[in-house]
Amino acid sequence: MASSSSSSSTNSPCAACKFLRRKCQPECVFAPYFPPDQPQKFANVHKVFGASNVTKLLNELHPHQREDAVNSLAYEADMRLRDPVYGCVGVISLLQHQLRQLQMDLTYAKSELSKYQNHGLLAAAAAAATIHHHNHQINLIGGMNLSSNRSDHHHQQQLMRRRSLDVSNNYDASNNNSNGSLLVAAGTMNAPFQHQPPRAAAGDGLRTPIHPS
Amino acid sequence: MTSSSTSNSPCAACKFLRRKCLPGCIFAPYFPPEEPQKFVNVHKIFGASNVSKLLNEIMPHQREDAVNSLAYEAEARMKDPVYGCVGAISVLQRQVMRLQKELDATNADLMRFTNNDMPNSSFSMFPGQYGARIGQGAFDHNSGFFLPYASQWNNNHSGCSSEEGGDGTI
């Protein structure tokens, strides 16, 4: 930010003093943070907080903290003018909602991923067994219920059966790499083979923002 | 909400301001006498006259929510005079970005599995869309905030970070 303290020395009042129609003194507390080319910034802050409240607040802070404080006040004022009912709290609620949604999506995606990884483990174990157990292996994987309650359960079972057939078809000496990769993938898997229910949303977060602490 | 002025007990605002709490007092429904600190905080940060003007500009059924959000912001500002509730926004935004990245990475892994199994399939087995941005609004590179609206006041401060993982500090 260009030094606005020079604005008073060059007789150009800061945005605050211009708005308040007063002489911008050299020691004006607003001058460094409300340059004359941003009149709306002070107008918003003044409308929401009031110049005297901002003065008191800035005087209670160290000089190196004041720029951040003014910018956060400007942001809050901007949000309050855009949304007079909720202001910044609306943004917090929105972010909390997004966070909950993301957490649910992530939990579900990870549980799906762990199923694939577990399939790899089981398929590798089945492929490592002797070939005369071929039919039994298919039944073992095909019969393994995902214990999923989701609507794509049927499709998942079809997918599993197809994977088991692919694994059994690939079981020969020339495909050791694919089996090896399955074993490597299985070795890195640490999620249990179960469907993890998504975390329940904690009430209506749109109206109950987090309590400042 | 029962108006405290009808029971001759001044509301917290009029008590603090040492004035008669009249029947039409705009503060009375939202600043009951048993919660004095609520008005003290709001008055210190916003000022009674600013709050009064703001309440007069919104519909009566919205005023309770407005007062509660002002009280929340005032309390946050008292606890953190530099950032106020904007500090909480910054923290939440970082968490959202972190989870989004993690979700994108998990989805990428899932896509690899599904593409291996069904190379011709476009079936998506997980909610949301791979790479889709959840929620509305846009990422404001100037402020480092993921905002429902862009704000123009954080584009020239020294602490601004413009990379994707911006820490949101201002």
Side-chain angles (χ1 to χ4, degrees):
Chain A
M1 179 187 290
S3 171
S4 301
S5 59
S6 61
S7 63
S8 55
S9 63
T10 57
N11 294 326
S12 174
C14 69
C17 293
K18 223 174 189 177
F19 185 94
L20 299 170
R21 293 181 188 173
R22 67 185 194 192
K23 188 172 162 57
C24 192
Q25 304 288 350
E27 63 279 6
C28 173
V29 68
F30 296 123
Y33 317 111
F34 293 102
D37 56 342
Q38 293 180 6
Q40 199 59 43
K41 184 177 180 181
F42 181 78
N44 290 352
V45 167
H46 178 57
K47 188 172 160 90
V48 175
F49 296 99
S52 58
N53 286 341
V54 174
T55 302
K56 282 184 222 164
L57 195 130
L58 291 182
N59 282 331
E60 289 171 5
L61 296 174
H62 291 295
H64 70 275
Q65 296 174 309
R66 290 175 184 167
E67 186 176 2
D68 283 351
V70 165
N71 285 338
S72 71
L73 288 169
Y75 176 79
E76 275 194 54
D78 196 17
M79 291 299 111
R80 180 60 62 175
L81 292 171
R82 288 173 191 267
D83 182 355
V85 181
Y86 296 108
C88 263
V89 175
V91 177
I92 290 175
S93 291
L94 176 68
L95 286 169
Q96 286 180 313
H97 178 72
Q98 287 177 353
L99 208 56
R100 277 195 296 273
Q101 188 61 50
L102 275 169
Q103 190 59 62
M104 285 166 56
D105 288 349
L106 187 61
T107 301
Y108 179 57
K110 281 187 170 174
S111 75
E112 292 297 304
L113 188 62
S114 71
K115 289 171 195 170
Y116 277 102
Q117 289 167 335
N118 281 327
H119 289 165
L121 176 65
L122 292 169
T130 54
I131 196 167
H132 70 269
H133 289 299
H134 172 81
N135 289 333
H136 177 67
Q137 288 164 19
I138 290 178
N139 289 336
L140 174 68
I141 295 169
M144 181 81 73
N145 195 336
L146 285 177
S147 70
S148 168
N149 293 325
R150 304 199 76 92
S151 58
D152 54 356
H153 173 71
H154 177 65
H155 180 83
Q156 289 173 357
Q157 283 188 321
Q158 287 180 325
L159 179 65
M160 272 199 315
R161 292 194 187 101
R162 193 185 303 182
R163 277 183 70 87
S164 64
L165 286 172
D166 286 340
V167 167
S168 60
N169 287 336
N170 288 333
Y171 180 73
D172 65 20
S174 64
N175 283 331
N176 283 336
N177 286 339
S178 62
N179 290 339
S181 65
L182 284 171
L183 287 171
V184 167
T188 58
M189 177 201 70
N190 56 11
F193 185 75
Q194 64 184 4
H195 177 68
Q196 298 177 15
R199 187 182 301 171
D204 179 8
L206 293 175
R207 291 296 183 98
T208 55
I210 57 172
H211 191 76
S213 61
Chain B
M1 186 174 294
T2 306
S3 170
S4 59
S5 59
T6 58
S7 58
N8 292 328
S9 171
C11 69
C14 294
K15 222 173 188 175
F16 182 87
L17 298 170
R18 293 180 188 174
R19 66 185 196 191
K20 188 172 165 58
C21 192
L22 298 172
C25 174
I26 193 162
F27 297 122
Y30 318 110
F31 294 101
E34 57 270 14
E35 292 178 44
Q37 197 59 42
K38 187 176 175 183
F39 182 79
V40 168
N41 293 346
V42 167
H43 177 56
K44 185 175 159 88
I45 301 300
F46 296 99
S49 60
N50 286 339
V51 174
S52 173
K53 279 184 225 168
L54 187 121
L55 291 182
N56 278 320
E57 286 170 5
I58 59 181
M59 305 293 286
H61 68 277
Q62 296 174 312
R63 288 175 185 167
E64 186 174 2
D65 282 348
V67 165
N68 287 339
S69 71
L70 287 168
Y72 177 87
E73 282 189 39
E75 189 177 352
R77 182 62 63 174
M78 305 275 282
K79 289 177 191 268
D80 183 355
V82 181
Y83 297 108
C85 69
V86 178
I89 290 176
S90 175
V91 168
L92 284 169
Q93 188 204 2
R94 281 200 293 274
Q95 289 174 345
V96 164
M97 296 186 87
R98 180 177 56 82
L99 281 188
Q100 183 68 63
K101 278 184 185 172
E102 204 175 334
L103 180 63
D104 288 345
T106 307
N107 285 342
D109 289 341
L110 268 171
M111 290 295 280
R112 277 197 286 275
F113 277 111
T114 53
N115 285 340
N116 286 342
D117 292 336
M118 297 180 292
N120 296 322
S121 171
S122 60
F123 177 71
S124 173
M125 295 184 68
F126 37 83
Q129 296 172 3
Y130 170 61
R133 178 169 293 283
I134 293 180
Q136 299 166 357
F139 180 70
D140 179 7
H141 286 277
N142 290 327
S143 67
F145 292 145
F146 183 79
L147 303 172
Y149 316 102
S151 178
Q152 52 188 315
W153 306 129
N154 295 312
N155 56 0
N156 58 356
H157 53 82
S158 56
C160 176
S161 173
S162 61
E163 68 265 16
E164 184 189 341
D167 58 10
T169 53
I170 56 171

